Amino acid sequence: MAELTPEQHQQVEELFEKALQIESELRRSFLDSSGAGPVVRGEVESLLSYHPAARDNIETAVVPSDAIAEAVDKAMASDFAHRAPDPATIGPYNIIERIGEGGMGSVYLAEQEKPLRRRVAIKLIKLGMDTRSVIARFEAERQALARMSHPNVARVFDAGSTENGRPYFVMEYVEGVRITDYCDMNRLGISERLALFGQVCGAIQHAHQKGIIHRDIKPSNVLVCQEDGNPIPKVIDFGVAKATSHRLTERTLFTEQGVLIGTPEYMSPEQAKIDDVDVDTRSDIYSLGVLLYELLVGALPIDTKALRQAGLDELHRLIREHDPPKPTTRLATLSDRAVECAQQRGTELSTLMRRIRGDLDWIVMKCLEKDRSRRYATTAELLGDLDRFAHHQPVAACPPSVIYRARKFVRRNRGFVVAATIVMIVLTAGVVSTIIFAVGESRQRAAVQMQADTNKAINEFLNKMIASVDPKKAKGRDVGILRDLLKEAAAEVGPELSGKPRVEASVRRTIGLTLMNLSLYVEAAPHLERSLELEQSLQRGSRADLAESLHLLGSLRDYQGQYDEGEKLLRKAIGLRPRNSQDDRAKLGASLIKLAEVLLNEGRLEDAKECMDESRQIHEKVFGQGAKETAPILNLLAVYHSQRGEYEHAESLFRKCLAARGESLDDVDTLVTIYNLGISLKEQGKYDEAEAQYRRAREGYSHILSPDHPASLAVSNALAVLMEKQGRHAESESLQREVLATLRRTLGERHPRVLSSLNNLGSVLFAQGKYQESIAIFREAVDLAREVHGSNHPVLAISLGQLGFTLRDTKDVANYPESERLILKAVSIFESTLPKKHPYTLNTLRGLRRLYAVDAMNDPAKLAGVESRLAASGPEIDDKEP
Amino acid sequence: MEEHTDVTQLLDRMRDGDASASEAIIPLLYTELRAIAAHCLKSERRGHTLQPTALVHEAFLKLVDQKKAGFRSRGHFMAIAAMVMRRILVSHAGKRAAAKRGGGAARVPLDDELGAGGERNIDLVALDEALNKLAERDARKAKVVEQRFFAGMEMNHIAENLGVSLSTVKRDWEYARTWLMREIECCG
């Protein structure tokens, strides 16, 4: 095939597209009349002949699922090849074999030659941690660690780093099994288990006396070995958790298996805080409590499955706030496993229950107190209680009083306590009154009416209460409290209302809606499903209520991404919605909006548009044009037009929406619309106007949230990017500096967002030719990237590359060697962490070529080397530096 | 939930012009894809055909908070996912093809496994090469194919992403896939 010129390509594309619109029999005559030359015409005909095959075969990729799993595995293995082959030596130690593999890295059995010949265990930490600080933190404890000498403590000898910079720890080699496995395998009874546990406490007590906190007590760190025929538990890994704890939480996201590493089950509430600085000996008491719990009933206090399915925030919240059941309560819920558990303890279930119930329950629960001042203050106190239990004396631990529990509840709920308590009271009061009113057949009719009224009152009140809890502000623990509260309420209300389907359906709708508003979709689902089920089962149910249940469940399905199901439900809701009163019609409009959202999410733009138009009509008819209530639909329509790239139209709708909302800057929805308006202006190139909107949005956010709030900063960043686009480098720079300073102050020096802010600022400086300042900023970025992401991460490589390019462009010969070194380093990181031929790698190589091409560096051999590497990578597509 | 906010925020940062954000998403995406694929393997879905595009969609739902993410975020996410999925599938297909050539008849090539469904699979390695060739001349068209084929993106999302009109994307798609088909059949 002859190469076509760009003009010919253009012509081919145009003719091809037109020909496709025409029935195939008529295409020939169309081409005849087009006046195309033979080359173009031949090309078009050739393409047309392949069109049907293309339609059939190129739509979306299809492969069997097991092939995909395998493919992802392989790609990950090659892209994130952290697992190097086992080394032959680590530092001065000869490796004998690998004996374990964990989230943190691998454990090896090794041999030490000097100063004495002995076998040691070496824990080699994965790449990705800052080795220097790991070693530094270890060094800080080295003296204290050396002073430890206890039969149940495995010695830690040394720490160091390999040539590749991976930290390792050298420990006494313990040939043993986990304490929990040991106990179960040998069917140890409660007394024997307590005896072993007592020794573990002794080891921890010893460490605490030497000023060492273990921080990571769990079965895999408590191994039982045989010495002279006696089982001896040995606590390993002292000093390791502290040295490596930094950033452990973030690392959990980067596991290869998609499974959490680390063992959150044993983590104390204070360790589950983001900063993890405030940890003392009582954190170990907590972990000991978890271990004892497991030794007693063979299960963990917090359901492991729930823990691992939860996101990181949720997980931390669970640890901080979830009150675990007593061991015996837990045991009672284990059904078959409880019997097995009793067998493993050489006894019957009922005997086991009797043994643990009471004192042992309270001893464990005292260790597990969320508030550490209520735990045993020292290991000695815990040992004391265990000793008293063994001798049938009264233990210090006792069940918490009702008042104490109530106080704890209030303390946990803090800001929510007022709203929450009222919700509880209303729910309970409502339920009680409906029950009272429903008594007596003769009064049934009246009762139904009362029920309906009460019902309505409850819901209105609840909705008001709940609406006052803005989900946008109720992040983190607060959401948890509200959810727990709702869960509690739901659990208590459920059985009470079993004979009152109407009320139950209504209460569940409210609970489900609230949970949905809090983005707790999984939790919302059962309530909304049940409410629909109830409405459908009602003989003479209300159409409006059924429609509402359908509407809510349909909305939930949208958020859950089940668009088909969502569409089905919403269409049913729309069909059922009464259209009599204004209120009815408003609700119909709301269902239409929701349906439009579903369709938009499915990418069915035109169907969505139809719904939106209908909804808009209804809203404008019911509320009048420009009424406040029309704002949501106008916003959605505007989004629709932005999606189609029709920014002008979007702009006018955003403006209408703002006019309807009244433009008061103290409402988050309004601010989002203002920001959206800014974006639609920016996309049209109306930078000045866009800027004005951004500034308004920022002012609003600063006012209702705070100038330091992430939302305000996000707008500031957008503003700075906009200024940069307009060539207003100096202003952009000063704003970026402001953002950077605020981020540092509010998020800390070491936050990933600080890193991206540094990169942004560096680029702004670079664009102004302020090379020296730019270099300084990129140097900071490099240091931070190394600390945050480790020494072999693409994000670090990006910063290294940027620094290298900046040094190169200073045109100062003295900077070239460093520039070369940095760019080469960036290339090698990209090559080892990204797939082959990745654009970042190629672009960085091109940056290197540019360096080699400058006169002063003129090094034909190196230039040729880069050229050939680039040539081997195929055609050049994009010549932008990353 | 952390994963949610993480990716959702990263997407926001991308929209605000932060280039490092997209790179930070990739490892998260791999991890999630791996988890979903592993889950498919374990569960009853084994042996069934799963579209990589469905996998990408599932990853999106898991990683991105539907309520907080804007429409644009979805597009950005999908574009990255398309790139990642292309790498995954192509490198896998390439390895398989290589294994078949060198290592005897141990493995069935991808296209033979799909006979039953009536859907024919195309040679992904050839498609990848052809795509690179197309990108040389018209990078936008290659992007359209990548995002459509490997991530199953809706046309309007692609349009939004690439900053062109919907009709342009549709035209690009028809032309590009036809051109690719010919390229694969003739030269593949």
Side-chain angles (χ1 to χ4, degrees), chain A residues 427-468:
Chain A
L427 263 180
T428 325
V431 171
V432 171
S433 58
T434 48
I435 290 166
I436 292 167
F437 286 125
V439 175
E441 298 233 340
S442 61
R443 278 191 267 166
Q444 205 163 28
R445 188 176 291 266
V448 167
Q449 184 53 44
M450 289 300 252
Q451 197 173 309
D453 292 348
T454 318
N455 190 353
K456 210 173 148 211
I458 296 175
N459 276 308
E460 277 174 7
F461 194 82
L462 266 178
N463 278 322
K464 230 187 246 166
M465 289 313 307
I466 286 155
S468 71

Side-chain angles (χ1 to χ4, degrees), chain A residues 297-404:
Chain A
V297 300
L300 290 160
I302 301 179
D303 184 22
T304 314
K305 227 165 135 194
L307 261 187
R308 283 171 189 270
Q309 274 169 358
L312 203 58
D313 263 353
E314 175 65 7
L315 187 148
H316 285 165
R317 191 194 65 76
L318 265 172
I319 295 171
R320 286 196 311 266
E321 289 169 6
H322 178 79
D323 282 323
K326 291 182 307 225
T328 45
T329 311
R330 186 92 168 89
L331 195 54
T333 62
L334 291 177
S335 58
D336 288 354
R337 267 189 48 220
V339 177
E340 193 187 323
C341 167
Q343 281 167 1
Q344 279 165 343
R345 282 148 189 78
T347 182
E348 301 277 311
L349 181 54
S350 55
T351 319
L352 181 64
M353 285 289 251
R354 265 202 308 281
R355 192 78 207 281
I356 301 173
R357 186 176 291 138
D359 288 350
L360 281 178
D361 267 345
W362 301 126
I363 290 174
V364 170
M365 295 314 280
K366 193 170 168 71
C367 295
L368 297 184
E369 283 284 353
K370 301 287 179 213
D371 176 356
R372 60 187 169 189
S373 68
R374 301 193 61 89
R375 289 179 210 148
Y376 293 104
T378 62
T379 328
E381 279 186 20
L382 168 59
L383 276 167
D385 249 7
L386 287 172
D387 194 50
R388 278 188 285 277
F389 172 77
H391 294 94
H392 307 289
Q393 289 164 357
V395 300
C398 60
S401 70
V402 174
I403 290 174
Y404 164 67

Side-chain angles (χ1 to χ4, degrees), chain A residues 1 9 13 16-17 20 43 46-47 50-51 53-55 57-76 79-80 253-258 311-313 516-517 519-521 559-561 563 600-603 605 639 642-643 647 675 679 683 714 717-718 721 753 756 794 798 834-835 838 840 875 877, chain B residues 1-3 6 13 15-20 22-23 27-28 30-31 33-34 37 40-41 45-53 55 57 61 65-67 71-72 74 87-89 92 95-96 107 110 113-114 119-122 132 135-139 141 148-149 152 154 156-157 160 171 173-175 177-182 185-186:
Chain A
M1 226 177 319
H9 269 302
E13 281 181 37
F16 174 75
E17 190 219 334
L20 281 185
E43 176 74 5
S46 158
L47 281 173
Y50 281 96
H51 184 253
R55 277 231 136 134
N57 292 310
I58 304 185
E59 183 60 42
T60 51
V62 179
V63 285
S65 57
D66 43 0
I68 292 191
E70 199 183 320
V72 178
D73 258 357
K74 283 195 178 158
M76 273 187 77
D79 284 9
F80 298 96
L253 284 177
F254 288 89
T255 61
E256 280 159 274
Q257 304 303 320
L312 203 58
D313 263 353
M516 187 160 74
N517 283 341
S519 301
L520 299 166
Y521 309 128
Y559 295 135
Q560 291 180 311
Y563 302 130
L600 267 185
N601 284 336
E602 276 188 298
L605 288 185
V639 170
S642 314
Q643 263 194 294
Y647 294 110
Y675 185 46
I679 293 172
E683 295 291 338
N717 187 47
V721 171
R753 275 193 75 168
S756 42
I798 290 176
L834 300 175
H838 191 280
Y840 282 4
I877 303 161
Chain B
M1 332 255 137
E2 180 75 40
E3 281 117 302
D6 234 37
R13 278 164 45 197
R15 192 192 58 202
D16 295 340
D18 178 352
S20 69
S22 87
E23 199 52 40
L28 298 174
Y30 263 112
T31 309
L33 287 172
R34 172 63 181 77
C40 295
L41 258 188
R45 280 151 82 181
R46 189 184 180 107
H48 290 194
T49 300
L50 175 82
Q51 296 197 358
T53 54
L55 194 65
H57 183 73
L61 292 175
D65 188 330
Q66 308 302 295
K67 255 195 132 166
F71 289 105
R72 278 158 176 273
R74 184 192 178 90
R87 278 185 224 152
I88 290 175
L89 293 182
H92 185 64
K95 276 179 198 147
R96 287 193 149 196
R107 285 218 178 271
L110 280 177
E113 287 175 4
L114 282 166
E119 291 169 278
R120 237 196 78 204
N121 214 357
I122 58 156
N132 284 336
E136 257 177 273
R137 198 186 78 227
D138 194 332
K141 286 192 177 60
R148 176 77 191 173
F149 186 79
E154 297 296 341
N156 55 307
H157 287 132
E160 165 95 349
R171 272 202 304 275
W173 169 242
E174 283 305 336
Y175 176 85
R177 69 172 169 176
T178 308
W179 188 89
L180 289 167
M181 193 71 220
R182 185 181 65 181
E185 298 267 296
C186 294

Side-chain angles (χ1 to χ4, degrees), chain A residues 579-600:
Chain A
R579 291 149 202 247
N580 306 325
S581 67
Q582 288 218 338
D583 191 39
D584 287 344
R585 284 196 293 273
K587 282 186 172 157
L588 172 64
S591 289
L592 282 165
I593 292 188
K594 196 65 227 179
L595 179 60
E597 279 177 26
V598 173
L599 295 168
L600 267 185

Side-chain angles (χ1 to χ4, degrees), chain A residues 6 15 56 176 266 306-307 340 478 525 591 628 659 815 860:
Chain A
L15 283 174
D56 293 344
Y266 299 85
L307 261 187
E340 193 187 323
D478 296 348
S591 289
K628 200 164 180 247
N815 284 332

Side-chain angles (χ1 to χ4, degrees), chain A residues 589-661:
Chain A
S591 289
L592 282 165
I593 292 188
K594 196 65 227 179
L595 179 60
E597 279 177 26
V598 173
L599 295 168
L600 267 185
N601 284 336
E602 276 188 298
R604 287 160 58 186
L605 288 185
E606 295 321 308
D607 292 343
K609 178 75 172 15
E610 223 172 90
C611 289
M612 285 188 258
D613 286 339
E614 197 181 337
S615 176
R616 184 181 181 180
Q617 256 184 6
I618 291 174
H619 276 99
E620 291 186 342
K621 210 165 148 191
V622 172
F623 300 105
Q625 256 185 35
K628 200 164 180 247
E629 288 79 359
T630 60
I633 182 66
L634 292 171
N635 186 60
L636 193 64
L637 268 166
V639 170
Y640 159 84
H641 286 291
S642 314
Q643 263 194 294
R644 291 170 51 97
E646 296 156 1
Y647 294 110
E648 222 179 305
H649 201 153
E651 179 198 332
S652 96
L653 283 162
F654 279 131
R655 287 190 191 282
K656 278 187 187 151
C657 173
L658 281 176
R661 285 211 165 110

Side-chain angles (χ1 to χ4, degrees), chain B residues 125-176:
Chain B
V125 178
L127 176 74
D128 184 55
E129 280 162 10
L131 257 180
N132 284 336
K133 206 166 152 188
L134 177 63
E136 257 177 273
R137 198 186 78 227
D138 194 332
R140 188 186 71 207
K141 286 192 177 60
K143 278 281 154 213
V144 170
V145 174
E146 185 179 88
Q147 297 180 359
R148 176 77 191 173
F149 186 79
F150 290 101
M153 273 175 75
E154 297 296 341
M155 296 291 186
N156 55 307
H157 287 132
I158 300 176
E160 165 95 349
N161 260 352
L162 300 176
V164 294
S165 73
L166 185 60
S167 53
T168 303
V169 171
K170 284 182 176 162
R171 272 202 304 275
D172 279 357
W173 169 242
E174 283 305 336
Y175 176 85

